[in-house]
């Protein structure tokens, strides 16, 4: 058990018989007669839905310890993605809804960390950034005041890139914000 005031980002807790990953935890000090509250942003590990909760700092929560392993992405079908544990070669199935918007960033043979509870995957931990090739973009316009132009990446996502990026370049993209970070030198 853990008290709400000790909850930090990345922790997995159990509420109402569901597992939630803490995306953000903020302690708001009360003023006057209003007491302090802990504001939690939680992602349901079963559905992927994000919710907000407000708790008293002294409320007790059940924290959950998860097993972590590295897996290699193999393939996907209509409902699931399949991974292989790189140590035991065991195949793991992950429902696509668990990955949500991050599914577009999976690449063949990509190694990725997973969290498991009782041998069952409950979360896939994507890296902060992913390197992707630019499939298409227009030519840079030197006279233009715009500093960015649209580009379509090899995974089909459209982002804004600087004017000097060309088709075929590899760029680093932030997985969470889907924004250009930098060009990757070959």
């Amino acid at each position: 058990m853990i008290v709400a005031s000790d909850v930090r980002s990345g922790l997995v807790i159990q509420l109402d018989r569901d597992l939630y990953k803490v995306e953000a935890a903020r302690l708001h000090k009360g003023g006057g007669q209003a007491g302090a509250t802990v504001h939690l942003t939680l992602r349901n590990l079963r559905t992927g839905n994000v919710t907000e909760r407000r708790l008293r700092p002294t409320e007790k929560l059940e924290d959950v310890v998860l097993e972590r392993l590295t897996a290699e992405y193999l393939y996907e079908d209509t409902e699931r993605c399949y991974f292989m544990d790189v140590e035991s070669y065991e195949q793991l199935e992950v429902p696509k809804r668990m990955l949500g918007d991050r599914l577009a960033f999976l690449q063949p043979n990509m190694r990725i960390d997973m969290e498991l509870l009782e041998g069952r995957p409950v979360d896939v931990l994507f890296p902060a950034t992913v390197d992707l090739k630019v499939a298409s973009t227009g030519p840079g316009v030197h006279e233009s005041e715009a500093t960015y132009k649209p580009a379509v990446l090899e995974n089909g996502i459209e982002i804004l890139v600087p004017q000097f990026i060309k088709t075929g370049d590899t760029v680093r993209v932030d997985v969470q914000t889907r924004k250009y970070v930098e060009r990757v030198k070959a």
Side-chain angles (χ1 to χ4, degrees):
M1 295 295 255
I2 186 171
V3 292
S5 60
D6 290 338
V7 172
R8 301 289 175 254
S9 294
L11 189 69
V12 175
I13 59 173
Q14 185 168 356
L15 285 172
D16 308 323
R17 289 189 245 160
D18 262 339
L19 293 180
Y20 293 89
K21 178 158 244 176
V22 178
E23 300 289 322
R26 299 169 303 281
L27 176 65
H28 291 274
K29 305 243 190 251
Q33 291 184 349
T37 56
V38 176
H39 294 249
L40 300 176
T41 303
L42 305 169
R43 182 171 43 89
N44 186 309
L45 292 177
R46 184 177 47 80
T47 65
N49 295 336
V50 176
T51 186
E52 299 275 332
R53 285 282 180 104
R54 287 174 175 69
L55 305 169
R56 290 185 314 278
T58 55
E59 279 188 64
K60 293 188 180 196
L61 301 167
E62 187 175 336
D63 59 329
V64 180
V65 178
L66 300 176
E67 177 187 346
R68 189 178 270 199
L69 62 81
T70 301
E72 185 174 313
Y73 173 62
L74 299 174
Y75 64 96
E76 66 183 84
D77 62 19
T78 55
E79 294 180 19
R80 292 182 170 73
C81 291
Y82 297 88
F83 297 83
M84 178 186 63
D85 181 340
V86 297
E87 290 183 17
S88 70
Y89 302 110
E90 178 185 350
Q91 191 165 314
L92 304 162
E93 297 178 15
V94 175
K96 284 185 174 181
R97 73 177 183 281
M98 182 189 296
L99 301 172
D101 293 342
R102 304 172 299 170
L103 177 63
F105 292 101
L106 278 179
Q107 299 170 13
N109 304 321
M110 178 181 195
R111 288 191 177 215
I112 197 159
D113 289 335
M114 300 179 94
E115 290 181 329
L116 293 89
L117 179 66
E118 298 170 0
R120 211 179 72 245
V122 294
D123 198 14
V124 177
L125 307 173
F126 278 79
T129 60
V130 174
D131 297 347
L132 296 165
K133 276 198 182 305
V134 176
S136 67
T137 188
V141 181
H142 297 291
E143 297 82 33
S144 173
E145 298 219 359
T147 57
Y148 288 92
K149 62 182 179 179
V152 178
L153 304 176
E154 64 183 306
N155 62 356
I157 293 176
E158 186 172 317
I159 66 169
L160 294 174
V161 297
Q163 294 287 333
F164 60 84
I165 299 293
K166 299 182 283 303
T167 299
D169 284 353
T170 302
V171 295
R172 187 159 288 143
V173 179
D174 184 301
V175 171
Q176 191 164 357
T177 64
R178 293 184 173 215
K179 291 187 177 181
Y180 168 88
V181 176
E182 65 185 350
R183 178 170 52 181
V184 177
K185 304 281 188 212

